[in-house]
Structure formats: C-alpha cells, structure tokens
Amino acid sequence: QAQLVESGGGLVQAGGSLRLSCAASGRTFSNYAMGWFRQAPGKEREFVATISWSGGGTSYADFVKGRFTISRDNAKNTVYLQMNSLKPEDTAVYYCAARRGRISSGAREYDYWGQGTQVTVSS
C-alpha cells in the first residue's frame, strides 16, 4: 500500500522558517512528480509547489515564490518543502501528493495524498 507521510509542521513566528518532509513508502516514487498543497480553514485546497521526478523541473504558486523551495531525495524516497519568511497567511494544513507523469498544479491530477501536517504562523 503506497503511503505518504508528512512531518515538520508546527508553530512558528512570522518571519521564521520550517522544513516540511514527505516520506513515501509502499512503492518507489522516483518516477512520480511530487507536489505540495495547502488548505486553510474555510478555504479550498490550493497548490503550493511541485517538482519533477528528476528534480530538474519545479513550479511554484506566485504567493510562495522566493520564499519556499521544493526539493527531493529519490534515494530516501522523500520530498521537502523549505519555507522561509513565513507569514500568518501561510497558516494551513500542508499536504504532500504524488502523480505519475509531469509536474502539475492541479490537485485532481494527483493519485496519492498524505494526511497533512499543520503549519501555524503567529503574528
């Protein structure tokens, strides 16, 4: 059974940093594009960042460009999201997802999802 497990969330002050991790198990995701999405209370799930299977291709939502960095280590079956200069509006549950094929910002195109990790940014 393929599984994605996020970790690294928590409470941080505005301007601080967090690094989220997503560990994959049950299968190899080295040929899958990986993505991060987030969902704040009362809002729809939104795209944050995605990375190609090789790590050579990335895409970011405009609101995180220059602040967040997505990366992956296929040997460890893990994808990361480094979040810097965090803002209160970044508060949300962050989800890791995997899809076979190219990078995509569309949540419906992803096949596997983690349970999410809470990120709370205080002002």
Side-chain angles (χ1 to χ4, degrees):
Q1 183 77 11
Q3 188 176 19
L4 301 175
V5 179
E6 303 94 336
S7 62
L11 174 64
V12 64
Q13 289 188 334
S17 299
L18 284 174
R19 188 175 84 153
L20 306 183
S21 298
C22 172
S25 62
R27 68 169 302 129
T28 298
F29 284 91
S30 58
N31 58 343
Y32 279 66
M34 303 294 292
W36 285 97
F37 293 78
R38 70 185 188 185
Q39 188 167 18
K43 295 187 178 182
E44 294 186 353
R45 190 169 299 189
E46 62 181 356
F47 166 73
V48 176
T50 182
I51 188 167
S52 64
W53 69 269
S54 68
T58 59
S59 179
Y60 297 89
D62 287 343
F63 55 78
V64 302
K65 283 181 180 177
R67 300 189 299 126
F68 292 9
T69 303
I70 189 171
S71 62
R72 68 190 296 164
D73 184 339
N74 286 339
K76 296 182 178 179
N77 236 12
T78 301
V79 63
Y80 306 96
L81 185 68
Q82 178 66 43
M83 306 187 295
N84 299 328
S85 302
L86 283 161
K87 305 175 182 180
E89 50 264 44
D90 293 318
T91 295
V93 176
Y94 282 72
Y95 297 90
C96 171
R99 73 178 300 266
R100 199 178 187 100
R102 298 179 179 180
I103 59 174
S104 172
S105 61
R108 295 182 178 182
E109 298 186 17
Y110 284 76
D111 305 305
Y112 299 96
W113 289 86
Q115 293 301 307
T117 185
Q118 176 70 47
V119 171
T120 303
V121 184
S122 63
S123 56

